[in-house]
Amino acid sequence: MLVVMNVHATSGQIEAVCEHISGAGLTPHPIPGSERTAIGITGNKEMIDSQQLELMDGVLKVIQVTKPYKLVSREFKPEDTVIRLNGLSIGGQELVIMAGPCAVESREQLLDVAHRVKEAGAVILRGGAFKPRTSPYSFQGLGEKGLEILAQARDETGLLIVTEVTETDSVSLVARYADILQVGARNMQNFALLTRIGKTGKPVLLKRGISATIEEFLMAAEYILAEDNYSVILCERGVRTFNNYTRFTLDISTIPEVKRISHLPIIADPSHGTGRYRMVVPMARAAVAAGADGLIVEVHCHPKEALSDGAQSLTPKNFCQLMSEVEQISRAMGREIART
Ligand code: PEP
Ligand code: MN
């Protein structure tokens, strides 16, 4: 349920409605908009009388939200969510490009590539310190040491850091270093992790699970918003289909649909979405043409020597090519690439 307040509703009236909702054993989620405030209600709706709510001072109307996802839906919040982070806006007119290696492998490797992606125009540095790998024998990441290296790269380049948190026990550790917490595809339905991450209040990059429907994807985001953390960036990173020519199938159609039914920003990951570096630039162009709010791309100075995902990693030179082609597409879309 959603309570839409009058344009001139006072803060006292908004507070009274929130108190009424809490008093009925439900949770109010005030969502300030540019014109008016709306108050989302989560919990068992049988416990509240919507007609009574409608009679309260300052209330314009009460809307029943029919979708299973509430807080992430456009019914709840018609305006796009724009996440502001250190002068950067994610989900606004500008496209945000995140780039870096799959994994932090060493100080030299990360700093080297961080400077290269910065020069090419990326604004956020990616790199996994904790790696969820299909095989227990594959490189698992450097752990906290990797986080320290990422922090050094941020100090040297000014790039913000996005890095994955794989388990609830390490959320506070990763949150101390990261500007954006990444939830990997394999953890999209790790509900305890989503809730814990939601509580940090930090921006979250939520990757779509490899077999998740759009509804499941949005319900996963709902877990984070239910903790009153609205800074969620969705990421289409490919799903599993019968096609085994590429690593996954980048489901670009998700982008316009998610933007229609949700207010959250969505970016694309053409690296995991294809698994092949030659397809990364064309799929990046396609994602931006479909309305993506940004990209996350794997870049490695020596892809052949990468400890993970070398086959899908761009060299810095190829990444420059990506930036220039994406810039042209973004201009055609009436957008620009965010720069620092
Ligand atoms: C990654 O970004 O390196 C990663 C492991 O991504 P995903 O969770 O989408 O597979
Ligand atoms: Mn990877």
Side-chain angles (χ1 to χ4, degrees):
M1 228 186 300
L2 179 67
V3 182
V4 182
M5 302 299 291
N6 279 321
V7 175
H8 300 296
T10 63
S11 52
Q13 289 168 338
I14 295 168
E15 228 165 86
V17 172
C18 289
E19 270 168 26
H20 181 82
I21 296 165
S22 307
L26 296 160
T27 312
H29 303 268
I31 311 162
S34 57
E35 280 190 11
R36 59 176 89 243
T37 293
I39 304 166
I41 307 177
T42 52
N44 180 358
K45 68 173 193 262
E46 316 287 292
M47 291 161 71
I48 201 158
D49 180 351
S50 60
Q51 281 174 344
Q52 213 177 339
L53 262 178
E54 220 151 22
L55 292 175
M56 290 187 75
D57 287 343
V59 173
L60 176 70
K61 59 183 170 178
V62 176
I63 299 173
Q64 303 292 335
V65 178
T66 47
K67 303 279 189 319
Y69 38 87
K70 311 282 180 203
L71 305 174
V72 304
S73 75
R74 278 223 189 255
E75 283 171 278
F76 253 50
K77 183 170 180 285
E79 302 139 46
D80 287 345
T81 286
V82 179
I83 300 164
R84 298 192 200 276
L85 191 58
N86 274 40
L88 211 64
S89 296
I90 307 169
Q93 194 259 348
E94 293 186 333
L95 296 181
V96 172
I97 312 295
M98 312 182 184
C102 178
V104 182
E105 299 170 10
S106 68
R107 194 173 301 274
E108 192 194 1
Q109 169 252 8
L110 188 80
L111 295 179
D112 200 6
V113 74
H115 285 282
R116 301 296 295 272
V117 299
K118 163 87 183 181
E119 278 162 30
V123 283
I124 297 177
L125 176 67
R126 62 148 292 144
F130 294 92
K131 295 302 302 174
R133 303 304 300 278
T134 301
S135 163
Y137 310 118
S138 300
F139 175 59
Q140 303 286 312
L142 296 181
E144 188 166 4
K145 173 110 181 89
L147 297 174
E148 283 165 17
I149 297 172
L150 283 165
Q152 184 182 349
R154 174 178 45 210
D155 290 346
E156 286 191 15
T157 61
L159 292 165
L160 299 178
I161 302 297
V162 58
T163 194
E164 182 165 350
V165 50
T166 53
E167 51 181 353
T168 43
D169 286 350
S170 50
V171 170
S172 53
L173 170 71
V174 180
R176 276 208 298 280
Y177 292 90
D179 299 293
I180 303 175
L181 297 170
Q182 177 175 330
V183 178
R186 288 150 196 86
N187 264 319
M188 188 204 81
Q189 284 189 314
N190 182 339
F191 303 120
L193 182 65
L194 296 172
T195 300
R196 183 71 72 84
I197 285 178
K199 286 187 201 303
T200 65
K202 284 231 162 193
V204 182
L205 178 68
L206 177 66
K207 299 190 98 180
R208 181 180 182 183
I210 65 174
S211 64
T213 62
I214 289 186
E215 199 165 277
E216 288 163 343
F217 190 19
L218 292 177
M219 290 305 282
E222 185 82 15
Y223 268 87
I224 301 167
L225 272 71
E227 298 304 321
D228 279 331
N229 183 347
Y230 279 70
S231 301
V232 175
I233 307 154
L234 300 168
C235 178
E236 167 56 46
R237 48 79 71 213
V239 288
R240 186 127 304 151
T241 65
F242 61 84
N243 163 37
N244 60 4
Y245 190 81
T246 49
R247 188 176 177 195
F248 294 96
T249 298
L250 190 66
D251 183 7
I252 286 176
S253 65
T254 296
I255 297 165
E257 186 55 11
V258 162
K259 292 208 77 75
R260 187 178 74 80
I261 59 185
S262 174
H263 51 84
L264 293 174
I266 180 164
I267 67 166
D269 176 349
S271 307
H272 292 88
T274 60
R276 294 171 174 234
Y277 83 91
R278 283 195 178 85
M279 295 181 182
V280 170
V281 177
M283 294 311 276
R285 292 196 309 253
V288 169
D293 295 301
L295 297 167
I296 183 162
V297 182
E298 287 187 344
V299 182
H300 198 290
C301 292
H302 308 284
K304 288 196 181 74
E305 289 155 31
L307 296 182
S308 65
D309 288 351
Q312 66 194 34
S313 297
L314 297 180
T315 58
K317 185 163 168 264
N318 288 335
F319 179 62
C320 286
Q321 181 69 22
L322 177 144
M323 291 298 286
S324 118
E325 295 189 17
V326 162
E327 173 130 54
Q328 293 176 56
I329 302 288
S330 64
R331 242 184 278 128
M333 300 293 298
R335 300 179 84 171
E336 282 160 48
I337 295 184
R339 307 272 179 190
T340 45

